[in-house]
Amino acid sequence: MRLRKFRVRAYRCIHDSGEITVGDLAAFVGRNESGKTTILQALTLLNRDEKVSELDLCDELSEELKGEIRLAEGEFELNSNEIRLLKQSFPGLPEMKKIKLFRTNKKQKVQYEFEDIQISEETDRGLNSWENFSKQILNFLDTIPNHLRIQIDTKLFDGPPPKNQEMFDSGMAEFSNQFHVIAVQEPKVIEEWEKIYESPENQFSKLLSGESEKSALENFIASELHPRFVYFSDYKKIYGNINLNEYLREEKGERVGSIEFVEEFDKAETVRNLFYLAELDIKALDEVKGTPSKCIKILNTASNRLTKKLNPAWKGDPIHVELRYNPGNIMSVVISDIHRDGTVTNTGLLNRRAEGFKWTFSFIVNFAAETQRAELKEAILLLDEPARNLHPTQQRGISDLLKSLAGSNQVLYATHSPFMIFDYTPGNLLVVELDKRKHLSKIFYDYWNADDKTLTPILYGLSRGLVESIVDREIGTNSRPVIIVETMSDAMYLNAFDKFLQDPNISMNPLNVVAAYNKNSVLPLAIFYRNHGYRTFILLDNSEESKQISAQLVSNEFSPIQTIFFEREGKNLESIEDYVVLEDYLHAVNQTYEIRLRKEGYSNLTSRDVTLKEKKGVLDNLKKIWEDHRDDDWGQFDNEEITRYICEKITLEETDFLSDKTKDQFRSLYRLIAERIRQYQNVVTKSDLAKFQRARV
């Protein structure tokens, strides 16, 4: 399952988050104490076994909390395999693609909603459930001779369903063996029992749990499909010397002060994950610790396993991890750097490495272990400020790790670091701000409207390519051209449609698009990128201001080839929105402004409504319509809201409203950009050749 929408209410500083759409790798950005952590922790309430504490409920909503409030709710999208499993188990139900989970302040259990599908709550005796299966067996036992009946132990069928296949098989085998022994003189009775026992319908995988269709469906989802939220915050950093005596006591359930030698706090979880990855049985090691050769063999094997599993997530030169046994029942974690030429350096205890190295090591250990466990497949990982104490270059390495994790899991994380922001699509970047007067958090998509301090890491993140070109000498001149655009809408459309079209012939993925935010910033930003080794192109609308910018670019030694104006079929376009077919764009407008339009008596704006205004582009026409309704309290037309809507739908793959013509028109824009890049490359190549020839003369 993938979380697609969520809402949090009456939880700590969150009165009401509103309905929030999220992608597979979503960053929550905000200042300290803005509510980022609260959002992540609120989502853990959707875990099956999570408990709600009254201390976490919002004090300001005490009156509302006297009734029932949904503290956390999430809408989940099922994958094709989950849809198939539901269809197999509940063939009579319509196909379900979405499920809603929610938890209230009045009930501890997570509850379910199934779109608009009608599901019976009546007791169903024909349902192939554990409950009906148990009744079938008990009813059968009532038909056998009483002298046999009183000898048979039926506790398996009187209690709850077995938790797994193994418990079912062992319980059924034990019962069947007992039955055969007791009824050995009654072959007809045994024959009837075998019919029940060997029936394909009575296999554990075929049995549901619940006496009604609705309860069976809920129980099936709870046991087989329920999403798992995993929250990480401090990542439990380890330092390298592990006290095995204390560890073994911890494993027995005895509370201890520390499992690490000299360290003051418990790191049991990270140590446990370290041993899990190494597939190291500490009890087995404890048994052979008096035999050095056996001890070394076990540890060498474990060390090699550990190294093999950690290196794929490690950025930079590979490392070798060695587990060493020391007197006093202390295990040391020794790290070596393995260089590209095969040399090994910097061998030493983990606790002698830099804090950033120890944090990264512990982080990867925990992630590698937890994401490899069966119960965390398809998990939703909630990370509270990952890599916050690391150098920017190390943060970039962690961001790569998060991207790889987002393939098999969904990753939602809180950060205020520009180096941990790498997707600016609405739904994958959300801003959390705190209203200090009301002490309430709010979440919104249009991050470009955030306050200055909240916006700072986002602005730095948008320009991190420039920073990387300066500080990372291994990168050198970037091979991907930079495309500078005037507005955030331009950047969002270019990135979204590049992914949407999925055309390898025109794709420049990942696009290196930088938004200038205003026209005054276009020229200096272009000069900065050009001077730091980037092939720089500038994408402009056809306004008079943009034409002046074009002239300024030429006077600053930019080639006219590098300046690209919006155009299609030889006709100038006023904005990037004009690449969207008018009817498609109006669908987004009508959906975004539906309530306001209906209030004013409009069912929908039509193409005729727009073209009657006789302006040059779709934006000017719509702005004129909104101006005409100024007295009707329509406010100003916000094209960024429409951009957010379209790009969000592309992210969620809900694009039926976008016509093939819109796709073709955007393809023409990418072809135009690609052609200019090719032309410029030819010019540069010829210029370089001329310089070389002159140098030879």
Side-chain angles (χ1 to χ4, degrees):
M1 284 192 200
R2 287 288 191 268
L3 179 68
R4 290 304 175 220
K5 296 177 182 178
F6 73 85
R7 187 175 185 180
V8 177
R9 283 179 283 188
Y11 187 79
R12 299 182 187 172
C13 61
I14 309 293
H15 277 200
D16 191 343
S17 69
E19 189 177 79
I20 306 298
T21 301
V22 290
D24 287 345
L25 181 60
F28 293 85
V29 179
R31 288 183 279 172
N32 289 335
E33 297 188 335
S34 60
K36 304 187 301 296
T37 297
T38 301
I39 290 294
L40 298 181
Q41 291 178 339
L43 289 173
T44 65
L45 296 179
L46 296 176
N47 275 331
R48 191 174 53 199
D49 303 321
E50 197 73 25
K51 302 296 182 184
V52 179
S53 170
E54 290 189 6
L55 297 174
D56 287 326
L57 302 183
C58 191
D59 292 335
E60 293 92 341
L61 296 177
S62 55
E63 282 301 314
E64 288 86 341
L65 286 166
K66 290 179 180 177
E68 191 167 20
I69 290 181
R70 293 189 180 187
L71 302 175
E73 58 183 315
E75 183 181 286
F76 295 83
E77 182 181 76
L78 278 65
N79 60 37
S80 57
N81 184 54
E82 291 165 336
I83 294 171
R84 180 181 57 78
L85 285 175
L86 280 174
K87 196 66 180 174
Q88 285 178 351
S89 300
F90 300 89
L93 290 179
E95 185 178 274
M96 281 185 287
K97 296 182 178 181
K98 296 178 181 178
I99 293 175
K100 183 173 283 187
L101 278 63
F102 64 94
R103 187 186 292 274
T104 74
N105 57 320
K106 298 297 184 182
K107 296 180 181 178
Q108 285 293 336
K109 287 184 66 176
V110 173
Q111 299 176 64
Y112 304 89
E113 286 182 349
F114 306 103
E115 300 181 310
D116 298 325
I117 298 172
Q118 298 297 316
I119 303 171
S120 174
E121 297 187 49
E122 300 292 326
T123 300
D124 186 352
R125 295 181 180 178
L127 195 68
N128 192 37
S129 65
W130 168 260
E131 288 77 8
N132 287 339
F133 173 60
S134 299
K135 289 176 184 176
Q136 178 190 5
I137 291 176
L138 294 175
N139 289 338
F140 163 71
L141 294 177
D142 286 338
T143 67
I144 69 175
N146 191 53
H147 71 280
L148 301 177
R149 174 68 177 87
I150 61 176
Q151 299 180 66
I152 296 174
D153 185 355
T154 61
K155 64 182 180 182
L156 176 65
F157 308 106
D158 295 328
K163 292 183 178 180
N164 51 47
Q165 180 79 51
E166 185 180 356
M167 292 178 67
F168 174 84
D169 290 341
S170 65
M172 289 295 293
E174 184 180 347
F175 179 84
S176 187
N177 290 336
Q178 173 202 182
F179 191 92
H180 278 80
V181 170
I182 293 171
V184 67
Q185 301 298 326
E186 301 285 346
K188 287 289 184 182
V189 173
I190 291 178
E191 185 181 339
E192 290 300 315
W193 161 247
E194 290 295 335
K195 289 179 183 177
I196 298 173
Y197 186 53
E198 296 177 359
S199 171
E201 292 298 308
N202 293 335
Q203 301 303 307
F204 184 73
S205 59
K206 298 287 184 70
L207 292 176
L208 305 169
S209 179
E211 294 186 335
S212 70
E213 193 173 45
K214 188 172 188 294
S215 63
L217 178 58
E218 290 175 342
N219 291 333
F220 180 83
I221 293 171
S223 63
E224 302 295 331
L225 302 178
H226 196 102
R228 172 72 170 153
F229 289 86
V230 185
Y231 177 75
F232 292 88
S233 58
D234 60 4
Y235 307 102
K236 301 175 177 63
K237 187 167 54 184
I238 60 172
Y239 290 83
N241 287 313
I242 302 165
N243 188 326
L244 294 181
N245 291 330
E246 299 296 337
Y247 177 80
L248 290 170
R249 285 176 59 194
E250 174 76 20
E251 288 293 279
K252 293 176 183 176
E254 302 175 19
R255 296 305 303 167
V256 299
S258 172
I259 65 161
E260 283 211 317
F261 186 63
V262 180
E263 298 302 326
E264 297 179 354
F265 42 90
D266 188 351
K267 302 299 178 188
E269 188 175 346
T270 301
V271 172
R272 191 175 296 113
N273 284 334
L274 186 79
F275 294 158
Y276 170 80
L277 289 174
E279 299 175 37
L280 178 60
D281 186 342
I282 297 299
K283 294 179 181 177
L285 180 68
D286 194 55
E287 291 174 0
V288 301
K289 63 185 181 183
T291 310
S293 60
K294 291 182 179 179
C295 186
I296 291 172
K297 185 178 180 180
I298 289 174
L299 289 177
N300 283 345
T301 302
S303 298
N304 290 331
R305 289 195 193 109
L306 194 57
T307 299
K308 186 177 180 180
K309 290 178 181 179
L310 292 181
N311 267 313
W314 196 266
K315 299 301 172 182
D317 287 337
I319 59 171
H320 179 75
V321 186
E322 183 183 356
L323 302 177
R324 293 181 183 175
Y325 184 78
N326 296 312
N329 214 20
I330 302 297
M331 182 176 293
S332 297
V333 182
V334 177
I335 306 292
S336 302
D337 294 330
I338 312 296
H339 300 281
R340 294 173 183 175
D341 61 0
T343 57
V344 180
T345 65
N346 206 19
T347 299
L349 284 171
L350 176 61
N351 60 4
R352 296 176 185 171
R353 303 300 286 261
E355 287 299 306
F357 185 99
K358 287 182 284 196
W359 187 96
T360 305
F361 181 85
S362 301
F363 176 91
I364 292 174
V365 165
N366 281 302
F367 256 74
E370 297 295 347
T371 54
Q372 284 184 27
R373 298 183 197 274
E375 64 265 31
L376 292 184
K377 288 180 180 177
E378 293 291 327
I380 300 170
L381 307 176
L382 308 172
L383 316 181
D384 194 1
E385 297 191 15
R388 57 184 174 268
N389 297 322
L390 299 189
H391 188 274
T393 55
Q394 292 172 307
Q395 288 187 0
R396 292 205 306 273
I398 297 298
S399 73
D400 290 340
L401 174 61
L402 298 189
K403 290 177 186 177
S404 67
L405 286 172
S408 57
N409 303 276
Q410 191 171 8
V411 180
L412 311 181
Y413 66 100
T415 187
H416 47 62
S417 168
F419 301 97
M420 295 297 294
I421 304 171
F422 36 86
D423 190 337
Y424 295 86
T425 307
N428 286 340
L429 178 58
L430 302 107
V431 165
V432 185
E433 284 189 355
L434 180 68
D435 185 333
K436 289 188 175 181
R437 291 183 180 179
K438 300 179 180 178
H439 197 67
L440 298 175
S441 296
K442 59 178 181 179
I443 308 170
F444 50 96
Y445 300 100
D446 47 349
Y447 46 84
W448 45 91
N449 291 328
D451 65 47
D452 291 344
K453 291 184 179 179
T454 301
L455 194 58
T456 298
I458 298 173
L459 288 171
Y460 275 105
L462 282 166
S463 300
R464 72 181 183 275
L466 174 63
V467 177
E468 290 173 0
S469 71
I470 298 170
V471 301
D472 193 342
R473 299 304 176 188
E474 291 186 11
I475 296 177
T477 301
N478 198 312
S479 60
R480 277 194 300 125
V482 170
I483 302 168
I484 295 173
V485 295
E486 295 177 286
T487 70
M488 179 53 66
S489 285
D490 296 339
M492 290 165 62
Y493 277 124
L494 282 174
N495 283 303
F497 272 91
D498 188 53
K499 297 174 184 176
F500 175 51
L501 296 174
Q502 296 181 339
D503 190 337
N505 297 318
I506 59 172
S507 176
M508 288 165 280
N509 185 47
L511 288 172
N512 203 357
V513 181
V514 178
Y517 285 93
N518 60 68
K519 293 181 182 291
N520 292 333
S521 302
V522 172
L523 178 64
L525 203 57
I527 293 172
F528 267 117
Y529 274 96
R530 192 261 317 271
N531 290 353
H532 285 93
Y534 287 83
R535 290 179 295 160
T536 306
F537 298 82
I538 304 91
L539 191 59
L540 302 172
D541 61 32
N542 281 280
S543 67
E544 289 302 318
E545 288 179 282
S546 295
K547 292 174 183 177
Q548 292 175 12
I549 293 171
S550 176
Q552 293 170 344
L553 288 165
V554 171
S555 64
N556 280 275
E557 301 182 351
F558 282 86
S559 167
I561 297 172
Q562 292 172 273
T563 302
I564 307 168
F565 288 96
F566 292 127
E567 66 173 72
R568 189 182 72 249
E569 298 175 354
K571 181 182 178 182
N572 292 338
L573 301 179
E574 296 304 307
S575 67
I576 196 169
E577 284 80 2
D578 290 310
Y579 285 97
V580 183
V581 170
L582 180 56
E583 289 77 10
D584 298 355
Y585 194 76
L586 286 181
H587 171 87
V589 173
N590 287 322
Q591 290 295 311
T592 303
Y593 288 99
E594 180 182 13
I595 296 175
R596 189 176 299 172
L597 291 172
R598 285 184 178 177
K599 182 180 177 183
E600 299 303 319
Y602 283 91
S603 58
N604 278 308
L605 286 174
T606 66
S607 301
R608 178 175 171 78
D609 295 328
V610 176
T611 55
L612 280 174
K613 298 304 174 183
E614 298 181 342
K615 299 292 183 179
K616 288 184 178 179
V618 64
L619 293 188
D620 285 342
N621 280 311
L622 287 166
K623 287 175 182 177
K624 183 64 171 69
I625 292 175
W626 256 250
E627 285 176 14
D628 294 344
H629 288 272
R630 186 180 300 162
D631 295 338
D632 298 328
D633 198 29
W634 279 34
Q636 290 185 329
F637 178 73
D638 188 354
N639 66 293
E640 289 177 345
E641 276 291 303
I642 313 305
T643 305
R644 183 191 66 77
Y645 177 89
I646 293 173
C647 294
E648 178 185 312
K649 291 298 181 182
I650 289 174
T651 300
L652 299 176
E653 298 182 357
E654 298 173 0
T655 55
D656 291 345
F657 70 97
L658 292 174
S659 63
D660 289 340
K661 189 175 180 181
T662 291
K663 298 177 189 177
D664 289 339
Q665 291 181 170
F666 263 95
R667 285 191 182 96
S668 71
L669 173 60
Y670 291 108
R671 290 192 191 99
L672 174 62
I673 296 170
E675 177 60 21
R676 290 297 186 89
I677 293 171
R678 187 191 64 79
Q679 290 176 4
Y680 182 72
Q681 187 61 44
N682 289 340
V683 169
V684 171
T685 302
K686 290 178 181 178
S687 174
D688 290 344
L689 181 61
K691 289 178 183 177
F692 174 72
Q693 290 173 339
R694 285 196 297 272
R696 290 190 66 182
V697 174

